[in-house]
Amino acid sequence: MQQLSPGEEASAEALAWGVSNIVIRIDRQAGDDFVIKQSRKQLRTQTEWFSQLERIWRELEVMQELQNLLPAGVVPRVLFEDRDNYLFAMEAIDKDHKVWKAELLDGIFDLSVASRLGNYLGAIHRLSFESQQFQERWSDWTIFDQLRIDPFYRFIVKTHPEIKDWVDDLIAEMEGNQICLVLADFSPKNILISGDQIYLVDFETAHYGDPAFDLGFFLSHLMLKAIYFRERGAHCIRLVECFWEQYLAEIQSLSDSGDKGTDKMGQQELERRTIRHLAACMLARVDGKSTVDYLCEPGLQDQVRSFALSLILDPPSTIHQSTLRLSEMQNS
């Protein structure tokens, strides 16, 4: 990227990407627009929430590595870094892009997007599976704990003390299934769409861990929107099923290999762990530190709690059975 020419005009615009960073888009008169991202120590939430500034370097490293795991253009290229100020710059996406979260809340349910996302996440998990290099680089869970385990999982125990042992076991199970690169923020707000191109952003929580967290975290967003849309929730459930079908197809070579080391990626075992994370993540989005901004009605929040707790107390065997249960609850 070239520096600004003398006298060249440029404009800066703050972007509303999440709660944990300062993100500014720089539009240049000569083109080659870029985005600057800088860590914040204190996150923008009502409850006090802090995280290490160094997390931005994990994000930078993961973005660079994802260039090798995903099709060209899916993840913006890093342009430069400023270690002293905990920031880096990346390629800017087309300014007229859409955020998938906004598209979903507007009632636009594109199955092809869900399908491609299943392929992308499956490729990340498959190509990083049992990578000693990735394990050595990203085995530190400090940031993942600060931004996910503590504010999501441990925090819900304050409201639901009866599931403390279950939550403790879930965390321990994650620690025992560190097998691939996990993004831990693969969600509709970090999926941008411009024309036929899908972009992924925001990787500061990435680590070497359990793919079931990524799956439960992502699917929780779609299931929450199914509750939000009430009778139209069936559209979101179809997104869940489409994503899941493509994800399983992408990792098929792992689950079919028969190697002892791939048992943790076998469909039955992976599905069991995914449903547990789905339950915990859904509960966290109404009773954790970072709640979703579109489920304001107490009745909808109670429906989330009821469904999530049912997955904990009486877990179904498959994702399909989970979606059927939600449909039945909404129609009862």
Side-chain angles (χ1 to χ4, degrees):
M1 188 193 71
Q2 296 180 348
Q3 295 182 344
L4 294 177
S5 304
E8 179 186 347
E9 293 184 2
S11 61
E13 175 189 2
L15 303 178
W17 279 3
V19 299
S20 59
N21 301 282
I22 298 170
V23 185
I24 299 174
R25 181 186 177 102
I26 307 296
D27 288 316
R28 303 179 57 192
Q29 188 179 35
D32 292 331
D33 304 335
F34 61 97
V35 171
I36 294 174
K37 188 168 187 178
Q38 183 179 44
S39 289
R40 293 172 56 97
K41 185 173 183 179
Q42 182 171 358
L43 280 65
R44 295 185 293 268
T45 54
Q46 292 182 343
T47 305
E48 286 193 353
W49 188 0
F50 297 89
S51 182
Q52 293 179 356
L53 294 173
E54 289 80 5
R55 67 185 183 273
I56 200 162
W57 308 132
R58 172 70 61 88
E59 177 167 17
L60 182 149
E61 292 174 3
V62 170
M63 287 180 69
Q64 292 172 328
E65 192 58 54
L66 287 174
Q67 301 292 336
N68 302 319
L69 304 183
L70 294 173
V74 173
V75 175
R77 288 188 306 112
V78 174
L79 302 175
F80 65 83
E81 62 188 76
D82 181 345
R83 292 269 166 176
D84 292 337
N85 291 298
Y86 298 96
L87 66 81
F88 68 83
M90 70 184 104
E91 292 176 312
I93 295 167
D94 178 11
K95 199 167 186 177
D96 293 329
H97 71 267
K98 307 295 184 182
V99 179
W100 198 41
K101 175 184 175 181
E103 295 268 278
L104 292 173
L105 292 176
D106 283 343
I108 301 172
F109 310 108
D110 189 338
L111 294 179
S112 69
V113 173
S115 176
R116 289 164 68 186
L117 292 173
N119 290 139
Y120 291 162
L121 189 61
I124 292 169
H125 291 169
R126 176 176 58 81
L127 296 172
S128 64
F129 180 72
E130 292 192 333
S131 167
Q132 184 176 353
Q133 175 194 0
F134 290 177
Q135 184 175 24
E136 291 173 353
R137 293 174 69 188
W138 300 324
S139 61
D140 186 338
W141 280 23
T142 301
I143 303 303
F144 177 53
D145 195 304
Q146 291 176 343
L147 296 183
R148 290 291 176 268
I149 299 176
D150 195 66
F152 280 63
Y153 288 8
R154 295 194 192 100
F155 198 83
I156 59 175
V157 173
K158 297 178 183 292
T159 305
H160 304 279
E162 73 279 6
I163 63 169
K164 182 181 186 304
D165 289 345
W166 183 89
V167 169
D168 290 344
D169 182 69
L170 180 62
I171 295 171
E173 184 178 68
M174 266 200 301
E175 294 171 347
N177 286 280
Q178 299 181 42
I179 55 178
C180 69
L181 174 61
V182 174
L183 303 183
D185 204 4
F186 190 76
S187 75
K189 74 176 177 61
N190 295 326
I191 295 161
L192 313 180
I193 302 170
S194 179
D196 293 330
Q197 180 67 48
I198 294 176
Y199 301 92
L200 306 181
V201 297
D202 215 345
F203 307 101
E204 63 188 359
T205 50
H207 61 282
Y208 194 81
D210 186 353
F213 181 88
D214 264 348
L215 294 165
F217 183 82
F218 176 77
L219 293 177
S220 73
H221 285 277
L222 299 183
M223 300 284 262
L224 288 166
K225 289 173 181 59
I227 291 174
Y228 170 75
F229 278 107
R230 298 178 176 87
E231 65 275 3
R232 296 184 65 202
H235 295 288
C236 297
I237 288 175
R238 282 196 284 273
L239 292 173
V240 169
E241 294 171 343
C242 186
F243 167 85
W244 186 246
E245 178 183 350
Q246 293 302 313
Y247 176 84
L248 291 178
E250 184 65 42
I251 66 161
Q252 190 71 40
S253 60
L254 291 180
S255 57
D256 284 351
S257 68
D259 294 338
K260 191 171 183 179
T262 62
D263 289 348
K264 295 176 179 180
M265 288 296 282
Q267 180 176 344
Q268 183 176 355
E269 168 59 14
L270 184 60
E271 209 154 4
R272 180 191 68 80
R273 300 199 315 274
T274 295
I275 291 169
R276 300 187 81 199
H277 287 287
L278 169 64
C281 286
M282 290 188 72
L283 206 53
R285 300 327 292 262
V286 293
D287 291 323
K289 278 191 179 181
S290 180
T291 57
V292 292
D293 55 4
Y294 53 87
L295 287 174
C296 301
E297 296 181 26
L300 293 180
Q301 294 175 5
D302 287 341
Q303 188 173 352
V304 172
R305 295 183 184 102
S306 178
F307 176 67
L309 289 171
S310 82
L311 296 182
I312 294 172
L313 300 175
D314 181 23
S317 300
T318 67
I319 295 297
H320 181 62
Q321 289 176 2
S322 301
T323 59
L324 284 178
R325 180 179 297 181
L326 179 57
S327 298
E328 291 168 358
M329 288 180 63
Q330 289 186 295
N331 294 327
S332 63

